Amino acid sequence: MHDLVVVGAGPYGLSVAAHASAAGLDLRVFGRPMASWRDHMPPGMFLKSEPWASNLSDPRGEFGLAAYAATRGTEARHGVPLPVGFFASYGLWFAERAAPPVDERVVTAVRTCPGGFRLTTEDGETVLARTVALAVGVMPFIDIPAPLRPLDPEQVTHSSHHADLSRFAGQDVTVIGAGQAALETAALLSEQGTAVRVVARSSRLVWNTLPPPRRRPVGESLRAPHTGLGCGWKNWLYAETPGIFRRLPESTRARIFTSALGPAGAWWLRERFEPAVEVRLGESVAAAAPAGGRVRLELISTTGRVETVETDHVIAATGFTPGLERLGLLDDGLRTALRTVGASSAPEANAAFESSYPGLFLAGLLSAPSFGPSMRFVYGATYTAERLVAGVRRRVGARGGPLAKVRQRQGAAEERTSVG
């Protein structure tokens, strides 16, 4: 029985694996490395976060993004957006050097068993583990607005469904949303010759501004410190104090999780987007139906005005919402045993990222309702990996499991060496 099985091999899964391996844990890692970045983002997209805030985490800090950039003969510079493909390649480089070999099979089921958990892979293999870390990323939690769900999958998709937008060249596409995914998808569509419009409930689009230099006068830094989530003291609190966030009342956490760091476009995208994309603000989809091979959208404005638009395809860039009902790999008994954050269906996590079921740990978006907005970004990986692995070590050691036995053998060996 392994000490730990990590389910997922994105930035959080790989970071947890790197720390667990360095701690001497007997572990397995399952998942396609950097799958969301390699398989669900089209060419031409860039990281929204700064390169220095986009490091995967290893205990000694040897395998950061800057180190990878140096191997490529380039530099990851503040204020210069990095291509998503570059970041995905960095993740693969990190996996080869900082983490144990990754098994790319999908884990389809996680069940409890005496002493821990029984996991089943897509080809039917059973793997036993004392603890499990769920680092499943965002894909299980895609949100498509209810009025669009009755449409055929050929007529409506989520923005994360596309590693290639070329199929829409020459067509008419409507993008729903006002965040970076919506705005960048729309810009890429327009640049390839697609007629595209953006529909957003908000009354205006929000654009981030060019970040100030990393090195600034002390007064400027004190007024608006740099953080991994952007400038400002509020962002600093989200980025640097997830443990304090976890102690807030559940209602406060839920409100901040749904409202903090709201939809906004990157500063470098604005000049590409505004001249090229039609925008319909203050509108949302009230109904959608097939119409002679196209889609008829009924749009309702905040003032109650209703208008109909026909389009070839709808892309919902409407984000991700973590919830237990979408974690199909957990068996019903385990899922219903988990305590959730307030009225939400997101699982609660303790200070070590352990769920209410002993030995089941959470990482990434799944932990964001407990620890705050930083867990929606790569920046939260270091905080998570350090504390989660410490929690696993306590859990496994407390049971007198393999880790405790390894420590005993190591201590005995050291004693024999010193005596000799």
Side-chain angles (χ1 to χ4, degrees):
M1 181 175 281
H2 300 288
D3 292 333
L4 171 66
V5 169
V6 180
V7 181
Y12 279 81
L14 292 175
S15 296
V16 168
H19 283 257
S21 179
L25 292 169
D26 173 15
L27 78 152
R28 297 278 299 275
V29 185
F30 288 90
R32 177 169 162 79
M34 304 297 289
S36 292
W37 307 87
R38 298 165 65 190
D39 303 336
H40 300 284
M41 297 186 189
M45 281 196 166
F46 289 83
L47 283 186
K48 188 181 180 185
S49 58
E50 291 297 318
W52 57 267
S54 304
N55 295 307
L56 278 66
S57 180
D58 64 281
R60 299 179 64 176
E62 296 177 320
F63 303 109
L65 184 55
Y68 171 69
T71 69
R72 296 280 297 270
T74 186
E75 184 181 358
R77 292 186 290 135
H78 176 73
V80 179
L82 283 176
V84 162
F86 186 94
F87 180 70
S89 297
Y90 159 58
L92 298 179
W93 176 86
F94 179 97
E96 292 175 355
R97 288 157 179 79
V102 177
D103 189 325
E104 295 200 15
R105 289 177 297 174
V106 174
V107 171
T108 57
V110 178
R111 302 177 177 87
T112 60
C113 69
F117 302 87
R118 177 183 290 107
L119 297 87
T120 305
T121 63
E122 58 187 331
D123 57 356
E125 182 186 344
T126 295
V127 180
L128 300 180
R130 292 186 179 276
T131 63
V132 171
L134 295 180
V136 295
V138 299
M139 290 306 296
F141 309 116
I142 61 172
D143 263 341
I144 293 181
L148 296 174
R149 293 172 197 164
L151 294 174
D152 188 277
E154 287 300 311
Q155 296 176 311
V156 61
T157 51
H158 192 268
S159 55
S160 62
H161 289 155
H162 300 290
D164 182 5
L165 295 170
S166 62
R167 61 175 278 202
F168 301 115
Q171 296 188 30
D172 182 286
V173 174
T174 299
V175 179
I176 311 297
Q180 177 70 8
L183 306 182
E184 193 170 11
T185 296
L188 290 171
L189 286 167
S190 177
E191 289 165 355
Q192 71 173 17
T194 302
V196 59
R197 70 186 58 80
V198 165
V199 175
R201 289 179 299 180
S202 54
S203 60
R204 66 185 183 92
L205 296 181
V206 176
W207 295 96
N208 298 136
T209 56
L210 175 68
R214 287 295 304 277
R215 295 183 179 180
R216 295 175 288 161
V218 174
E220 292 183 18
S221 296
L222 288 175
R223 283 193 295 273
H226 276 297
T227 83
L229 307 183
C231 286
W233 282 106
K234 183 179 289 188
N235 288 340
W236 186 91
L237 290 171
Y238 295 150
E240 305 302 330
T241 63
I244 293 176
F245 183 94
R246 197 188 67 81
R247 297 188 184 97
L248 295 174
E250 290 182 345
S251 59
T252 303
R253 280 186 280 157
R255 175 178 55 79
I256 294 175
F257 173 71
T258 56
S259 62
L261 304 176
W267 60 270
W268 44 263
L269 180 64
R270 189 170 187 172
E271 64 181 17
R272 293 167 50 196
F273 176 91
E274 288 186 332
V277 179
E278 174 192 353
V279 181
R280 301 180 65 114
L281 297 173
E283 296 183 339
S284 57
V285 179
R294 306 188 81 200
V295 177
R296 180 178 294 114
L297 297 176
E298 188 176 284
L299 304 178
I300 184 168
S301 72
T302 52
T303 61
R305 185 189 76 255
V306 177
E307 189 172 343
T308 298
V309 170
E310 286 197 2
T311 189
D312 295 317
H313 190 87
V314 182
I315 295 179
T318 42
F320 309 87
T321 302
L324 286 173
E325 74 282 359
R326 302 183 185 188
L327 274 178
L329 79 169
L330 296 184
D331 73 357
D332 291 340
L334 181 53
R335 190 185 303 114
T336 56
L338 296 179
R339 184 175 182 274
T340 57
V341 180
S344 76
S345 63
E348 179 71 273
N350 68 13
F353 289 82
E354 189 173 17
S355 73
S356 59
Y357 192 93
L360 183 65
F361 292 78
L362 313 171
L365 184 62
L366 264 178
S367 68
S370 294
F371 286 92
S374 64
M375 302 304 149
R376 290 160 41 193
F377 300 87
V378 177
Y379 189 73
T382 295
Y383 185 94
T384 299
E386 292 174 348
R387 288 156 181 79
L388 189 154
V389 170
V392 169
R393 294 179 70 182
R394 287 193 294 271
R395 174 65 60 187
V396 174
R399 294 187 178 189
L403 181 60
K405 295 175 182 177
V406 167
R407 288 173 179 159
Q408 292 169 3
R409 289 196 296 270
Q410 289 174 340
E414 290 171 0
E415 183 177 350
R416 287 194 300 271
T417 301
S418 63
V419 170

